[in-house]
Structures are given as C-alpha cells and as structure tokens.
Amino acid sequence: MSWSFADLTAVVPVLLRNPFLDVSYPERGVALAILDTGYDGLALVPESVFRALRLNEHRATSIIATLADGTKVPLTQVLGLLEIPDLELIEEGNIETNPGVSEILVGMLAVRNLVAHINGCSRTLSLEEC
Amino acid sequence: MGVITLTIDDDLETRFRRKVSRIFGAGRGTLGKAAEESIRLWLEAPPEKRGEKIVYWAELDGKKVAEDTSLVGLADGLRKIGLDPRDVILRSSEPQPKERHLGFPTARTPK
C-alpha cells in the first residue's frame, strides 16, 4: 500500500483506539500520522488527541524520552491501539503524549511488522507486511 | 559459573561448531562463549520472536485483577468483572525500554 506525501514528510493514515472506553480518534475516517524513524515508540500524540481518546482519564505511566539534542522530556503513556486501516493492521502498545507535541507521530514500533519503503523521487511511502 | 547439558539436533550442532571454530578458532571455552552469547540474544529478543505471546494485565492496588493476550480481551475482562478501566493501571509484558528516543543525536555535545 502506498501513500503520497507533498512536503518531504512521510505520512500514514491511522486510526487510534482506546478499547477500554470504546473511543476512537478520529471518530470518522483516518488521521494522518507522520512516520518518524527516530522515534522508537508506537504513537506519540498531541494532548488534545490524548484527551479525545479519553486516555487522560486512565491511570497513566510515564517514561523519559531523549530528544535529538540530548534534552530529556517526560512522556505520559497509556496502552491503546494503533490501526492502519488500509493494511488491516492493528498494533497494541503505549500511546504517548507530552505538552510539546503538535502532530501525531508513529514510530518504529508501529512498523516493526512491516516493510517500509520511502521513495523520495515519487514522494511516496509504501508499507507492506513482512 | 552455571552448567547446562543440552541435547540438540546433530546438524545444528555441526553448523554451530563450524561457525564457532571459524569465528573464535578452536581454543578452549569458545563453544561456551558462543552459547552464552546466543542465550543472551535469545533472552533479549522481542517476545514474539521467541513465540511468546504478549500479555496485558490490569493492576489494582498492586494486585493483578485481569489479564489477556489482547487489549480488547482485557477491556472485555474488566467489563465482565465490573471494574472501571480508569481505576486500574494497565500493563504489558512487552519489555519496556528505560528511555524513549525521539530523534537520535547526530553529534556529541562538546565537553
């Protein structure tokens, strides 16, 4: 499955789910998440998305994240589901947030069972199962 | 040092001995060194690579109150026992890293 990207940011259409309170984000359709190979988690979302998923109502755990410049920031995390509907793929794991996050990122855990091919010439991201 | 006596497939043994000899030479203790490294790698591998299912569970006051091999199953389990999922801490058997990386450093900060 391939998706085009316009501004050199590889994006994947995803659906995030909180199976415990039966909430999805977005409620209809999909959201575009940036594939960030420098992030080794599953999904990092803005606080507004975390709240929309009502993950903020759960008893969260936390983990320290190291940014590229060595700065350390705390991430709040709750278990949830990341779905890539076009691939019929569902990954379970921590959905994380921090006040400084403004985009939905999917990290290396999201593609651990996929072959990812970024084609800078045609500006497409292809993902397929291993 | 621990001692483990194993019975393994003949072909696997031959391949293992050949590879160890090629890499470490025929010296004393080389088989043990390679076996130790193999066991370490196996232990560090993701659970699914070992054929192990990831287990999710809910904890309340430090006690496990429900578990399942999927989050959807765990959510159902909590509903069945009438527990509000917001009252529990949700955990996974998947090994958690001590730290997350959000972009990998490309240069070391000068000392």
Side-chain angles (χ1 to χ4, degrees):
Chain A
M1 188 76 208
S2 296
W3 303 276
S4 298
F5 53 88
D7 59 355
L8 294 178
T9 304
V11 291
V12 192
V14 301
L15 181 67
L16 295 154
R17 284 171 54 201
N18 174 350
F20 299 98
L21 299 178
D22 210 13
V23 191
S24 298
Y25 182 89
E27 284 179 35
R28 284 182 196 164
V30 287
L32 289 181
I34 296 169
L35 176 62
D36 183 348
T37 57
Y39 167 49
D40 59 5
L42 180 73
L44 180 64
V45 303
E47 283 188 317
S48 57
V49 175
F50 203 76
R51 279 196 302 273
L53 285 163
R54 296 176 61 196
L55 292 172
N56 60 316
E57 297 177 24
H58 288 270
R59 293 174 64 182
T61 53
S62 66
I63 189 166
I64 296 294
T66 306
L67 308 184
D69 65 358
T71 310
K72 293 184 187 298
V73 295
L75 301 181
T76 302
Q77 51 179 205
V78 174
L79 288 167
L81 304 174
L82 171 78
E83 199 172 331
I84 303 178
D86 288 341
L87 296 175
E88 295 181 2
L89 178 92
I90 298 174
E91 284 287 347
E92 301 175 303
N94 279 305
I95 297 177
E96 301 171 326
T97 192
N98 174 275
V101 179
S102 56
E103 305 268 11
I104 300 174
L105 302 185
V106 291
M108 290 304 287
L109 271 182
V111 293
R112 62 182 158 176
N113 294 314
L114 297 172
V115 177
H117 183 209
I118 296 172
N119 186 333
C121 306
S122 62
R123 305 269 164 97
T124 52
L125 166 67
S126 307
L127 293 176
E128 59 184 79
E129 286 185 52
C130 298
Chain B
M1 299 288 268
V3 177
I4 299 177
T5 307
L6 300 167
T7 303
I8 61 169
D9 177 78
D10 288 340
D11 179 52
L12 187 64
E13 183 197 356
T14 307
R15 285 167 54 207
F16 185 61
R17 284 182 184 279
R18 273 191 201 145
K19 187 70 105 182
V20 171
S21 156
R22 199 177 309 148
I23 294 169
F24 297 120
R28 199 179 158 86
T30 52
L31 274 181
K33 186 177 167 188
E36 199 175 288
E37 182 60 17
S38 307
I39 292 169
R40 188 172 293 121
L41 287 172
W42 187 84
L43 289 171
E44 287 169 3
E48 65 269 22
K49 297 279 181 200
R50 291 193 294 261
E52 198 179 327
K53 283 235 171 195
I54 293 170
V55 177
Y56 300 97
W57 71 91
E59 258 178 39
L60 185 63
D61 299 328
K63 286 182 187 168
K64 196 183 280 189
V65 289
E67 77 169 30
D68 203 279
T69 52
S70 78
L71 289 179
V72 172
L74 180 60
D76 286 344
L78 287 171
R79 254 175 238 127
K80 275 180 198 157
I81 56 174
L83 262 182
D84 188 327
R86 292 169 291 189
D87 292 337
V88 298
I89 297 179
L90 304 165
R91 297 201 187 276
S92 156
S93 65
E94 189 165 30
Q96 294 295 310
K98 285 180 187 162
E99 270 190 9
R100 272 268 173 269
H101 286 106
L102 258 170
F104 290 93
T106 52
R108 290 190 186 280
T109 311
K111 287 181 181 171

